[in-house]
Amino acid sequence: MNTKWAKMMSSINCGSSEQTPLQARLNELTSSISKVGLLINFLVLVVLLILYFTGKNQDANRKQEFVPGQTMGDNIMNSVGGKIAATVTIISVMIPEGSPIAVTLILAYSMKSLMGDGAMVRKLWACETMGSATTICIDKTGTLTENQMIVTKFWVGQDTVAENWCSSASKFFVDLIWDGVASNSEGSVYNAKPSSESVCRFSGSPTEKAILSWAFSQVSMDMEKIKKRCKLIQGEVFDSRKKTSGVLIMNIMDGTVHVHWKGVAQTILAMCSSFYNRSGMEKDLNKDERKKFEQIIQGMEASGLRCIAFAHKKVCTEAIEERNYRNKIQEDSLTLLGLVGIKELCRPGVNCAVKAFQNAGVNIKMITADNEFTAKAIAKECGILRPEDDASNGAIVTGTGFRKIPREKRPEEVEKIRVMARSSSSDKLFMVQCLKQKGHVVAVIGDGMDNIPALKEAHIGVSMGIQGIEVAKESSDIVINSDNFFSVAEVLRWGRCIYDNIQKFIQFKLTVNIAALLINFVAATSSGDVPLTAIQLLWVNLIVDTLGAFALSTDLPTDLPTYQSTEQTKEVMNKPPVGWTEPLITNIMWRNLVGQAIYQVAVLLTLQVKGESIFRVDEVVNRTMIFNAFVLCQVFNEFNARKLARMNIFKGIHKNKLFLGIIFMTVALQVGMVEFLKRFMVTKRLSWGQWGACFGIVAASWPIAWVIKCIPVPHTPISQLIEKIIQRNSN
């Protein structure tokens, strides 16, 4: 348990009880609404009891309900119980006990749709959390790049050579290159034929496969000949600290013994005292020549290439005895054979995805174990670094440099960092912790072993499903099955759409709550009675929490695959992230829901007071029209909730067949409730004219919504405006 592996595994197996941004907001909203609802209901109960015991209430015979000294105790208990039942009716609609179910329904439907787009969502809240992300930390190898490499440059001496250079080089020098590549390699070649490279299959690390592929295609390496003439005496496997590997081999043909080393160019160059030029002649590696090679290596790294060097030395047979004594392959006074520049291939769609993140206001940070030069080149190619970004302005740091920053200053410095090179798993973990401490919603994208602690620590972890290791996928919240990096931008887009749909539902839900609360409150305090019964309000809650949530959750941009495709997705992806700071209910939502609630209250209270005389109906029919109009108001308000800020609420509605189907089903169920379940719902059948009057009343909510959206609102949240006013008055 004291090994590094065991400590890493124990850290990722610890469960996290941390809430997502949406969960925190919903819990706060639910708590606030419940407290307000209970307070208002308590006030309603107090008012009703005062009206009753002061003799203000009258019974059906227009007589005073309570007469001191005359009213019997049973009648008092029945009347007080009725008042309590009336307030409980209001509580049933005000407390949002069904909101978690409705939000879960939205998340489940969206998660199912997202999984159809090539992503496996392992946690229900993961996609929505991705939509709230303010910073994304991305690993380079296997994430931004394809984990595939190709050799693009080969230097012999201080000159680059073309593909056909082998025909003019000496056989001795070509054989040395063959021996150095084939003998000192952890990769393997299957079905290799010198005449046909296309039938070769290479295995091993991406670097090894790139070198072997290059050796077969450009150096015409013959693996069969090498196996026949070379015998491995000793090998030193790749050392991750020195980043080198070496072998001691014997040429069976002539009995000579050779040392071959391969590794990071700077390290191998330091082990060499001579080099081969383009003609295959050996030359001394003096100070000036060494400086030229260092410049060549730096130039290759600056262009984003991973520079690997090959070195060789012929040793006497006594070296075998010396090896038995020292148990170490000689690693000094070597001769440099050549340098290869290996390029990592960026994934298709990386540039578009990074641009989409940046347009969405999300900070992108690349974290890699590669050197600064390679990291900088790849970051510029992917669009993460701007032309003016470098180490001087803090945009590029190393893991060592990041660890040297004082702990109290790290949260400030982490904002400037765009690329962190030569980083370890602990560096990535510290980066995520600092960003969370700064208040960011952090997403980590990676698929390697060194990314696991960061994937677990972040608010949302994303891994690639094909090339990613199993432990990384188990530590992630979302797995991209196709390994298409642009799918990550699609997850962000879906997450933001889910958040928007939840906001639409919250606006829709609160409009019902506020309208029902005000109607019953005013009616109860004025007449001592409530126009909407408990059964009717429970039916409204069923429509709002289930059918309404399902209808609004279907309004997603599922028809086209890219974020540039529709006006809706452009609007979603070009606005800043919500993070932790933005309130769940925005000023636009407050404007919309208050305007609609006022209209509904005004209309329904008018029906309550003047409905019988206006439509010349009895009390039961009037109550039925109030209930019917209230339900239809919510159905029509679903159209208003589709567009929180846009004037045209019908745009694109013809494409959403499911939304229209749910609306039709809701209206059909309401007709059935009023016309056929009248005894259960305490209603009475309505005539065609009365149905038309109900539809006419609620249809007016559409032009009213258009007028309401013309009212400008400040961007600063209402809570902050109130705080500023209080501070100004206190000063």
Side-chain angles (χ1 to χ4, degrees), residues 174 177-183 189 192-194 202 211-224 226:
V174 174
I177 296 291
W178 284 5
D179 295 346
V181 172
S183 302
V189 184
K193 295 181 180 180
F202 306 102
I211 293 174
L212 289 173
S213 176
W214 162 79
F216 270 85
S217 62
Q218 295 189 25
V219 194
S220 304
M221 186 172 69
D222 191 334
M223 186 64 78
E224 295 299 325
I226 297 171

Side-chain angles (χ1 to χ4, degrees), residues 442-497:
V442 186
V444 172
I445 307 174
D447 53 11
M449 182 63 66
D450 55 342
N451 297 303
I452 294 175
L455 286 169
K456 199 70 176 178
E457 177 68 20
H459 294 106
I460 177 73
V462 182
S463 63
M464 300 298 178
I466 296 177
Q467 295 185 354
I469 62 174
E470 238 3 85
V471 184
K473 287 187 279 187
E474 288 296 322
S475 303
S476 302
D477 303 301
I478 297 176
V479 180
I480 307 299
N481 294 327
S482 62
D483 275 6
N484 180 5
F485 189 79
F486 191 79
S487 297
V488 182
E490 290 293 293
V491 173
L492 178 68
R493 179 174 66 89
W494 273 87
R496 291 193 169 190
C497 290

